[in-house]
């Protein structure tokens, strides 16, 4: 009777667990529970059965893979989202408002102007198209900085999520430890804790290990403690506004702190990694490429003696000097009347001469020059004494955020005749068909120029090619990010399916098990009934 009764009680306990499994089959974070059977021993002999502590059927290795996958996907998702918006801002190569299109239209305007350099209509058209380009790069700069500020704000929200999750995990740690100390089951509490751990993994990548009493210790991937005996406090100091010249590397922007220590470099995954990369790398690189393009455009005009953009006022020295003596073809040095404000790295052009040169050395009033495209030869034509030169700083040296500050030179806007005669002219020229400056501008659009390798440029390219390359680079970066995200999510889905198969609730399997246990319960009940019948028969015989 005792053995049969213990069997019935164990069956009831197992049926209770199965019922809970079926009821929670669709509950997020719920894992399958089981009540293992244990033999009751009396004098080293089996005398019944009992159920052990209800436990989870969980693969810890799969849990860790799921957390790592969650962190990786979260970082990739942030990157893809911001790159998609940056791609839309840059536009497509054929789009009328893209920087490639607006820049190309400036070149077209000067090609038209070269045929009729005194036309006020064509001059105004060139001014308008140059202004459209300036407005376009201004707007792109604003978009880039707005995206950086949005990332900054989202970091604050992610930090709050992480701190909340850490607090919940710490509270569950205490409850699990207490329940185990009382000999009670903690499977449901562990499910809740795993849910919070996966939530935390979406913010930053973590590692965990379990202590003997059941508490989980949480660290960053590099081993920095987030939760042990005490709860670590993540913090972040957001800026209310971000400008292009503000960078984390320069100390202008805050990093992620844990109890006052900056751990930004130690975060290798999760939403925080993606947001930090967007704010400090992706958008910064896009801004630098845009700045270089805008500065190169302005410099080219300055070298043509046409300060169409406010290049001089922002960044460069644009000077005209007089040579002391002639320079033979192939020469690499020349004397200037004054080297004030001239420096190594500046570009120069001789009046009425298309080639752009770079200053490679300055010694007193002696300059050493070489073609800006890196060719080893000197000047490609003889330069007469007294020739006029225009100097301008390298675009690569332009201040960060230059594209956002690009404006038309108000003097040229007010006196459009300078498109023909140049900004150095003291009065309107007498040669109405002089297209020297227009031709020099056209040459600057058609000439291959050195660019840094960032932003899609590959060394030497024309202005319009670089503008197009910037657009293609953004589209390519977004496509690569999307491909990486899709691959990661597919892998995560496979892990989820494996975890669900091993640790989730299969209703059909539970119902089959329920029938098996019901049969066992019925068998125990029949044994008990038979025993009662025998006792009744014995009692009747005694009477």
């Amino acid at each position: 009777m005792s053995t049969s009764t213990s069997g019935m009680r164990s069956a009831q306990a197992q049926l209770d667990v199965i019922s809970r499994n079926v009821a929670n089959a669709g509950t997020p974070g719920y894992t399958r529970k089981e009540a293992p059977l244990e033999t009751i021993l009396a004098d080293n002999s089996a005398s019944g059965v009992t159920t052990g502590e209800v436990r989870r059927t969980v693969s810890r290795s799969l849990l860790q893979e799921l957390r790592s996958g969650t962190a990786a996907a979260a970082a990739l998702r942030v990157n893809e989202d911001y790159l998609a918006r940056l791609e839309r801002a840059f536009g497509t190569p054929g789009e009328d408002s893209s920087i490639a299109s607006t820049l190309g239209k400036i070149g077209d305007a000067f090609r038209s102007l070269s045929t009729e350099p005194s036309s006020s209509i064509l001059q105004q058209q060139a001014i308008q198209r140059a202004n459209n380009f300036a407005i376009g790069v201004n707007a792109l700069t604003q978009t880039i900085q707005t995206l950086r500020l949005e990332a900054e704000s989202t970091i604050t929200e992610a930090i709050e999520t992480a701190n909340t999750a850490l607090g919940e995990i710490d509270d569950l740690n205490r409850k699990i430890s207490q329940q185990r100390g009382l000999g009670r089951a903690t499977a449901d509490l562990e499910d809740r804790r795993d849910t919070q751990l996966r939530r935390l993994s979406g913010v930053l990548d973590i590692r965990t290990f379990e202590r003997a009493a059941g508490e989980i210790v949480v660290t960053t991937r590099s081993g920095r403690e987030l939760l042990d005996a005490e709860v670590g406090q993540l913090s972040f100091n957001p800026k209310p506004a971000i400008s292009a010249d503000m960078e984390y590397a320069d100390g202008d922007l805050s990093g992620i702190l844990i109890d006052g220590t900056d751990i930004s470099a130690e975060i290798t995954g999760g939403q925080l990694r993606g947001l930090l990369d967007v704010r400090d790398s992706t958008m910064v690189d896009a801004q630098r490429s845009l700045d270089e393009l805008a500065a190169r455009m302005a410099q080219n005009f300055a070298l043509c003696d046409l300060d169409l953009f406010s290049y001089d006022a922002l960044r460069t020295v644009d000077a005209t000097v007089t040579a002391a003596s002639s320079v033979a073809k192939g020469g690499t040095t020349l004397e200037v009347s004054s080297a004030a404000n001239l420096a190594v790295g500046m570009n120069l052009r001789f009046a009425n001469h298309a080639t752009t040169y770079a200053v490679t050395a300055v010694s007193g009033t002696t300059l050493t020059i070489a073609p800006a495209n890196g060719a080893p030869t000197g000047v490609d034509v003889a330069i007469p004494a007294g020739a006029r030169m225009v100097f301008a700083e390298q675009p690569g040296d332009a201040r960060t955020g230059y594209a956002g500050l690009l404006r038309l030179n108000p003097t040229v806007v007010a006196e459009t005749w300078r498109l023909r005669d140049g900004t150095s002219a003291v009065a309107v020229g007498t040669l109405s068909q002089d297209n020297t400056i227009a031709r020099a501008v056209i040459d600057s659009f058609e000439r291959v120029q050195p660019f840094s390798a960032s932003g899609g440029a590959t060394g030497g390219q024309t202005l319009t090619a670089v503008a197009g390359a910037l657009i293609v680079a953004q589209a390519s970066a977004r496509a690569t990010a999307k491909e990486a995200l899709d691959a990661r999510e597919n892998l995560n889905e496979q892990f989820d399916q494996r975890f669900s198969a091993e640790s989730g609730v299969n209703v059909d399997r539970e119902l089959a098990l329920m029938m098996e246990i019901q049969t066992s319960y019925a068998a125990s009940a029949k044994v008990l009934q038979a025993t009662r019948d025998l006792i009744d028969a014995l009692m009747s015989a005694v009477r």
Side-chain angles (χ1 to χ4, degrees), residues 289-518:
S289 298
L290 189 63
D291 290 340
E292 184 178 9
L293 175 64
R296 174 70 70 179
M297 166 69 81
Q299 185 217 37
N300 281 346
F301 276 98
L303 288 171
C304 296
D305 190 25
L306 177 57
D307 295 330
L308 181 57
F309 298 98
S310 51
Y311 186 65
D312 187 344
L314 285 176
R315 184 64 188 171
T316 67
V317 177
D318 181 14
T320 301
V321 298
T322 304
S325 59
S326 61
V327 183
K329 181 178 180 179
T332 58
T333 61
L334 66 151
E335 294 291 326
V336 294
S337 56
S338 172
N341 298 322
L342 301 184
V344 172
M346 296 184 76
N347 285 164
L348 71 95
R349 284 185 71 170
F350 296 96
N352 302 317
H353 183 35
T355 303
T356 300
Y357 299 91
V359 178
T360 59
V362 179
S363 177
T365 57
T366 301
L367 303 184
T368 302
I369 64 172
N373 61 9
T377 56
V379 295
D380 53 11
V381 295
I383 305 299
R388 181 172 171 275
M389 292 178 283
V390 179
F391 292 82
E393 283 190 88
Q394 276 279 26
D397 298 330
R399 59 177 291 185
T400 303
Y402 178 82
L405 303 172
L406 191 68
R407 302 287 187 275
L408 291 188
N409 185 338
T411 300
V412 177
V413 174
E415 301 173 345
T416 57
W417 54 268
R418 293 187 180 279
L419 294 173
R420 182 194 64 193
D421 300 329
T423 47
S424 64
V426 296
V428 178
T430 57
L431 300 176
S432 62
Q433 294 305 309
D434 185 1
N435 66 355
T436 302
I437 288 178
R439 291 302 311 166
V441 170
I442 295 169
D443 172 74
S444 71
F445 273 82
E446 297 174 348
R447 186 178 69 253
V448 172
Q449 304 180 45
F451 278 85
S452 64
S454 63
T458 54
Q461 293 191 31
T462 64
L463 282 173
T464 49
V466 168
L470 289 182
I471 295 174
V472 172
Q474 299 309 321
S476 176
R478 190 278 173 100
T480 300
K482 183 69 166 61
E483 183 179 347
L485 176 60
D486 289 345
R488 181 72 254 185
E489 288 185 332
N490 287 336
L491 185 59
N492 285 357
E493 185 177 350
Q494 293 177 31
F495 282 128
D496 274 325
Q497 290 173 352
R498 283 181 56 192
F499 184 80
S500 179
E502 293 185 22
S503 304
V505 176
N506 183 316
V507 175
D508 291 337
R509 182 175 62 183
E510 296 298 311
L511 293 177
L513 183 59
M514 180 180 289
M515 293 176 65
E516 180 182 330
I517 293 172
Q518 285 174 335

Side-chain angles (χ1 to χ4, degrees), residues 97-342:
S97 59
S98 70
I99 56 170
S101 179
T102 55
L103 188 147
K105 288 178 180 179
I106 299 175
D108 293 340
F110 276 88
R111 290 184 182 91
S112 297
L113 189 61
S114 69
T115 63
E116 198 174 346
S118 297
S119 170
S120 60
I121 294 176
L122 294 178
Q123 290 170 355
Q124 286 294 341
Q125 183 184 65
I127 290 289
Q128 183 58 52
R129 291 186 175 181
N131 191 51
N132 289 343
F133 174 77
I135 290 173
V137 294
N138 293 167
L140 271 176
T141 296
Q142 181 61 44
T143 297
I144 291 171
Q145 301 316 313
T146 297
L147 290 174
R148 292 182 73 204
L149 183 60
E150 182 180 327
E152 180 95 340
S153 300
T154 309
I155 288 173
T156 302
E157 297 172 6
I159 292 292
E160 293 175 357
T161 298
N163 283 331
T164 299
L166 285 170
E168 292 284 348
I169 295 166
D170 181 57
D171 182 58
L172 289 165
N173 268 348
R174 297 179 191 277
K175 290 178 179 178
I176 290 170
S177 178
Q178 291 170 357
Q179 292 299 308
R180 286 196 179 182
L182 296 172
R184 296 173 181 170
T186 60
D188 290 330
L189 290 173
E190 291 176 62
D191 279 351
R192 288 171 55 191
R193 186 173 63 184
D194 282 344
T195 297
Q196 293 300 323
L197 284 168
R198 193 161 182 183
R199 180 186 180 196
L200 181 61
S201 297
V203 179
L204 74 164
D205 52 334
I206 60 172
R207 283 182 173 174
T208 64
F209 66 89
E210 186 174 341
R211 296 199 181 279
E215 303 100 327
I216 286 286
V217 176
V218 184
T219 70
T220 63
R221 180 67 61 176
S222 61
R224 182 85 59 179
E225 282 189 2
L226 295 172
L227 171 63
D228 194 353
E230 300 292 334
V231 185
Q233 188 68 27
L234 291 166
S235 61
F236 178 68
N237 182 28
K239 299 294 182 183
I242 292 181
S243 57
D245 57 352
M246 294 172 65
E247 295 187 20
Y248 168 74
D250 297 332
D252 302 321
L253 301 173
S254 172
I256 310 299
L257 308 180
I258 178 71
D259 296 330
T261 300
D262 193 334
I263 63 168
S264 300
E266 301 175 25
I267 298 173
T268 57
Q271 186 183 17
L272 287 178
R273 180 70 270 158
L275 291 168
L276 288 171
D277 286 343
V278 164
R279 187 195 68 175
D280 302 327
S281 178
T282 303
M283 297 300 162
V284 171
D285 289 345
Q287 184 66 57
R288 286 174 179 164
S289 298
L290 189 63
D291 290 340
E292 184 178 9
L293 175 64
R296 174 70 70 179
M297 166 69 81
Q299 185 217 37
N300 281 346
F301 276 98
L303 288 171
C304 296
D305 190 25
L306 177 57
D307 295 330
L308 181 57
F309 298 98
S310 51
Y311 186 65
D312 187 344
L314 285 176
R315 184 64 188 171
T316 67
V317 177
D318 181 14
T320 301
V321 298
T322 304
S325 59
S326 61
V327 183
K329 181 178 180 179
T332 58
T333 61
L334 66 151
E335 294 291 326
V336 294
S337 56
S338 172
N341 298 322
L342 301 184

Side-chain angles (χ1 to χ4, degrees), residues 4-37:
S4 297
T5 302
S6 69
M8 293 174 67
R9 282 196 298 262
S10 296
Q12 285 178 325
Q14 288 184 305
L15 287 171
D16 178 62
V17 172
I18 290 174
S19 297
R20 284 191 288 147
N21 283 342
V22 173
N24 287 281
T27 303
Y30 184 85
T31 58
R32 181 176 179 271
K33 309 299 188 300
E34 62 180 17
L37 296 177

Side-chain angles (χ1 to χ4, degrees), residues 1 4 522-537:
M1 289 177 66
S4 297
S524 295
K526 285 183 179 181
V527 171
L528 184 60
Q529 183 62 49
T531 305
R532 290 180 61 185
D533 291 345
L534 286 172
I535 292 174
D536 289 343

